[in-house]
Amino acid sequence: MSNVIQLQDNGKNLSARLKAVLDGDFADSRDAARAFISRPDMAVVPPDTPKEEYREKTLGWIRDMVAAGFTTLPYDPAFGGGGERQKYMNIVEIIAHHDMSLAVKQGVQFGLFGMSIESLGTERHHAKYLPDVMSGKLLGGFAMTEMAGGSDVQGISTEAIYDHATRSFVLSTPNEGARKAYIGNAAKHGEMMVVFAQLKMSPESESMGVHAFMVPVRDKAGNTLPGVTIDDCGHKVGLNGIDNGYLSFDKVRVPHDGMLDRFAQIDQDGHYQSEIKKKSQRFFKMIGTLVTGRIFVSMVSLSGAKNALTAAVTHAEERKVFGETLLDKQATQARLLPHLADAYAMHFMTRHLMDEYQKGNEYLETMAAAIKAKSSDAAMRTADEARKLGGGAGYMSEQRHGALRNDIDIFRTFEGDNTVLRLLVAKNQLSRLSKKFMQVNAFQKVTKIAALQLKRLFAKFNAESGKTERDHFLDPSFQNKIFAARERTMMYMLSDKIQKIAKAENAAVAANKTQVDMIAYADAYAERLMLQKFTKAVAAQKDPEVKAILKDVCDLYAVHTMRENGLWYVENGLMKPQTTTALRRLERELTEKIRPHAQMLVDAFGIPPGVLACAPIPPAPPPASPPAPPKQP
């Protein structure tokens, strides 16, 4: 009995040490956020709460975040902020465990709205708006998406026509398809919106491209302003604590200083000025400043996955099935533990994204796009698996599995549709590859070099492709090399395919006929990044027990991902069929090895029990005592 107690204590101690690794330099801030969401007044909203009540509850929580001092953290100290964006994002990641509507609404207010003012505006905008944004006195939104536009933001139709006589812009919605759609904070609470529109210097002139404008939509009493039409999006599949709405404008005048003019200005003589000459380059420069939104979605998606995993593992540890726990079953281990390994890999990857943001990495947009798509898809699969594992109880609204899954679902769409983001990743990487070759025949040179590199690559891996030894697959060097080999091979093959189709037909046809390859490449790119950062995190550990368990989890991520991509490796000569068979055996071995530590691994996420997606299983009643025999007369 004493040995069992000692093992349990060691498990708790290891969980605490692992939590310290995951929390990193932001442990105090993350613990403050855990305490914040554990307060009695932060009780989870019941599933049958009307959306109107839920919206007001969420707004009250926003006020509570302001009172707690959280909301000044991400802004520049020059504007009264704390200058600690990473600290704030860590806090929001924890808050997302409690309520996704709150996490997203604060993202609209203090991220999209506030950060677009900071990133796209100049000093006069910062001084005028940011103090009230941080304090919640000025509630706003981010009006970019249009009904007919979807992901084609460069092609939006809302117009802002400059009128030099009044030094103002006339903002109009030219048709029904140009209505701003699904805008957070629009239906009820927002007073001002950052509105994206095509800037024209006269009604007949060509557009200067997409620009952002500060547009009041309500007065302080909540009345819609003249020329503005607001419609409520109504009840949604999830995130009903957010008041999403439709916006349209009928000749709404915006003063000259209402344009956020960091990248383009209109001078005193009414002339358009910008150091960035091409409007497409201006557009991407403007959008690039908002990349933190995609990092935010990755982190909040990860919060959803961690919540679902903690609930599912806890349930599987408690649930008895024919004399064993559900987690003792091989099928359950196969269903849950690869998702757990993926969550750990994503955790270290999102930390890397935040670090690279601070450094100003020029490739951050590409990395953030790839990881946003990967993390939101993975979170959805994890939440769905957790719901199914809960059986009939998991389908009950009180368990929150369905609510969590529904809330996560939209993350695959906003901040960039995942399919479009994956195409963007491949396009950016192709451009990066071809920048080395400035001549017209760039792709031909790329293809020739690629062929030489591939020959060396295949020669190396063919010598090892039949190996099935355990240590071979668990070698971090081999793992990283074969992930990188897959990514590089896919890129070279993609560039070659595009060049051949473009030569036979044209560039537009080539771009369309390689989209499936581009999407697959983007995931290979994300997987390589995730493994690279995970193995680096393992190597950095000084605590031998923490290092050992993280190594096992990292190995499971690597082996599971290799096995899932096994057909590609075989088809392209980097593995033999017996290799994938060995990978399958090794994956089972790793899940069995990790199984005793599963509860400790999810406990290390530090999620307060009251916000988990699944309530504890009530203990079974004691067996009834047999009735006493009747007394003999």
Side-chain angles (χ1 to χ4, degrees):
M1 182 68 177
S2 59
N3 288 338
V4 173
I5 294 172
Q6 184 178 359
L7 285 172
Q8 290 174 342
D9 289 342
N10 286 342
K12 290 178 181 179
N13 182 262
L14 181 56
S15 177
R17 284 180 280 150
L18 188 54
K19 174 180 173 290
V21 170
L22 296 178
D23 285 353
D25 295 336
F26 302 98
D28 290 344
S29 300
R30 291 169 72 90
D31 282 343
R34 291 179 178 111
F36 177 76
I37 63 176
S38 299
R39 296 176 352 186
D41 57 324
M42 296 291 289
V44 171
V45 174
D48 56 350
T49 302
K51 74 178 191 314
E52 292 79 10
E53 183 181 335
Y54 195 175
R55 289 172 174 182
E56 295 310 310
K57 174 68 76 173
T58 307
L59 178 60
W61 288 335
I62 291 287
R63 306 289 190 204
D64 291 340
M65 288 184 66
V66 172
F70 294 151
T71 59
T72 60
L73 290 173
Y75 296 97
D76 193 308
F79 321 135
E84 297 183 283
R85 190 169 297 185
Q86 283 185 281
K87 179 183 287 188
Y88 184 69
M89 292 182 77
N90 273 273
I91 287 170
V92 172
E93 184 184 13
I94 298 299
I95 286 174
H97 290 310
H98 164 257
D99 189 277
M100 289 290 183
S101 284
L102 172 58
V104 173
K105 190 175 181 75
Q106 73 73 35
V108 171
Q109 169 68 18
F110 306 110
L112 292 174
F113 181 56
M115 285 301 165
S116 60
I117 296 171
E118 181 175 295
S119 300
L120 304 179
T122 46
E123 289 182 10
R124 66 175 182 273
H125 302 111
H126 302 154
K128 184 176 182 179
Y129 298 116
L130 288 181
D132 285 347
V133 171
M134 286 184 271
S135 67
K137 293 179 182 177
L138 176 64
L139 298 177
F142 184 84
M144 177 181 280
T145 301
E146 294 181 356
M147 285 294 294
S151 296
D152 182 15
V153 179
Q154 273 190 281
I156 61 176
S157 300
T158 301
E159 293 180 343
I161 300 174
Y162 180 64
D163 178 12
H164 189 58
T166 59
R167 294 279 284 168
S168 65
F169 304 92
V170 180
L171 197 73
S172 296
T173 303
N175 53 63
E176 189 72 9
R179 281 199 308 164
K180 297 298 182 182
Y182 323 121
I183 309 304
N185 268 355
K188 184 73 183 295
H189 298 141
E191 181 183 336
M192 180 170 281
M193 297 285 146
V194 173
V195 178
F196 291 80
Q198 300 285 354
L199 171 62
K200 292 185 175 182
M201 299 308 292
S202 70
E204 301 79 21
S205 67
E206 181 184 349
S207 171
M208 304 305 293
V210 176
H211 292 66
F213 301 85
M214 298 294 293
V215 183
V217 296
R218 286 186 178 87
D219 61 22
K220 290 294 183 183
N223 301 306
T224 304
L225 294 177
V228 179
T229 301
I230 303 176
D231 296 304
D232 197 321
C233 287
H235 197 273
K236 305 182 296 292
V237 171
L239 298 181
N240 280 297
I242 306 170
D243 53 318
N244 296 90
Y246 303 102
L247 293 166
S248 56
F249 308 96
D250 183 14
K251 297 182 176 61
V252 174
R253 285 201 175 266
V254 178
H256 174 265
D257 63 1
M259 186 172 88
L260 297 176
D261 58 354
R262 177 181 174 187
F263 298 116
Q265 306 81 35
I266 296 174
D267 65 20
Q268 291 296 320
D269 297 323
H271 298 134
Y272 182 87
Q273 306 286 341
S274 178
E275 294 181 359
I276 308 171
K277 299 307 177 185
K278 290 185 178 180
K279 59 184 177 183
S280 61
Q281 290 179 343
R282 285 196 298 272
F283 171 78
F284 286 113
K285 185 74 173 176
M286 176 181 67
I287 296 300
T289 62
L290 306 176
V291 70
T292 49
R294 286 173 185 164
I295 302 175
F296 159 76
V297 171
S298 297
M299 295 179 72
V300 174
S301 296
L302 177 60
S303 289
K306 288 176 177 177
N307 194 318
L309 283 164
T310 302
V313 168
T314 303
H315 169 77
E317 282 280 25
E318 295 174 349
R319 176 80 162 140
K320 293 294 177 96
V321 182
F322 305 114
E324 291 183 307
T325 70
L326 189 56
L327 197 55
D328 288 326
K329 304 298 182 182
Q330 185 187 69
T332 305
Q333 296 165 21
R335 292 171 70 179
L336 286 183
L337 298 187
H339 289 298
L340 181 57
D342 187 80
Y344 267 80
M346 189 61 70
H347 179 93
F348 292 112
M349 184 64 221
T350 52
R351 305 315 103 167
H352 176 71
L353 289 178
M354 285 192 288
D355 290 341
E356 294 306 296
Y357 175 81
Q358 294 297 114
K359 296 174 185 176
N361 188 318
E362 63 178 309
Y363 303 117
L364 182 64
E365 181 198 22
T366 305
M367 290 190 288
I371 298 305
K372 183 269 179 185
K374 191 75 172 172
S375 64
S376 54
D377 280 350
M380 190 65 181
R381 289 192 298 269
T382 303
D384 187 58
E385 197 62 64
R387 203 297 300 155
K388 290 186 291 184
L389 194 73
Y395 199 61
M396 298 296 102
S397 293
E398 64 182 7
Q399 295 283 26
R400 295 185 67 210
H401 278 302
L404 182 63
R405 184 180 58 186
N406 288 350
D407 286 347
I408 290 171
D409 191 358
I410 194 61
F411 294 170
R412 301 183 294 176
T413 301
F414 67 40
E415 290 293 339
D417 172 83
N418 283 357
T419 296
V420 175
L421 288 185
R422 287 183 169 101
L423 294 173
L424 172 69
V425 169
K427 177 180 175 293
N428 285 357
Q429 287 295 90
L430 284 165
S431 297
R432 182 178 174 184
L433 188 65
S434 64
K435 275 182 182 177
K436 299 175 184 177
F437 310 94
M438 303 305 293
Q439 295 83 356
V440 175
N441 60 344
F443 270 126
Q444 293 177 349
K445 289 197 172 187
V446 169
T447 303
K448 287 180 181 178
I449 291 174
L452 292 173
Q453 292 194 13
L454 283 177
K455 282 182 181 179
R456 291 195 292 268
L457 201 65
F458 281 109
K460 175 177 175 56
F461 279 103
N462 280 339
E464 301 180 337
S465 61
K467 286 188 175 182
T468 58
E469 291 88 352
R470 182 181 184 280
D471 291 345
H472 177 66
F473 295 125
L474 302 186
D475 178 2
S477 176
F478 171 77
Q479 291 170 354
N480 279 283
K481 284 177 183 176
I482 200 162
F483 274 53
R486 172 171 150 81
E487 183 211 340
R488 265 184 269 135
T489 302
M490 292 175 79
M491 173 53 64
Y492 298 148
M493 292 169 69
L494 177 59
S495 65
D496 183 47
K497 188 174 183 178
I498 289 174
Q499 186 250 326
K500 287 177 179 176
I501 297 174
K503 185 176 180 181
E505 300 182 65
N506 59 60
V509 172
N512 184 54
K513 287 189 174 181
T514 54
Q515 286 189 348
V516 172
D517 302 280
M518 294 170 80
I519 290 167
Y521 166 76
D523 279 344
Y525 170 76
E527 289 161 4
R528 190 265 297 170
L529 286 174
M530 290 167 66
L531 178 66
Q532 189 179 68
K533 305 314 167 191
F534 201 169
T535 53
K536 185 177 179 180
V538 172
Q541 300 309 312
K542 305 300 183 186
D543 184 324
E545 288 184 292
V546 168
K547 187 169 189 171
I549 189 62
L550 282 178
K551 176 67 168 69
D552 288 338
V553 177
C554 185
D555 285 339
L556 178 57
Y557 171 75
V559 170
H560 175 76
T561 306
M562 278 190 276
R563 184 189 63 73
E564 284 207 317
N565 297 325
L567 179 60
W568 184 92
Y569 283 117
V570 172
E571 288 179 342
N572 289 278
L574 270 72
M575 284 186 185
K576 289 182 166 55
Q578 64 265 32
T579 310
T580 58
T581 302
L583 285 171
R584 190 177 297 277
R585 287 196 303 268
L586 182 53
E587 183 175 349
R588 291 195 193 112
E589 180 185 326
L590 287 167
T591 55
E592 289 174 5
K593 185 178 182 183
I594 291 170
R595 181 264 172 271
H597 308 291
Q599 188 69 57
M600 179 274 295
L601 286 164
V602 295
D603 287 346
F605 295 149
I607 304 175
V611 302
L612 286 179
C614 174
I617 298 173
S625 302
K631 293 182 178 180
Q632 296 295 325

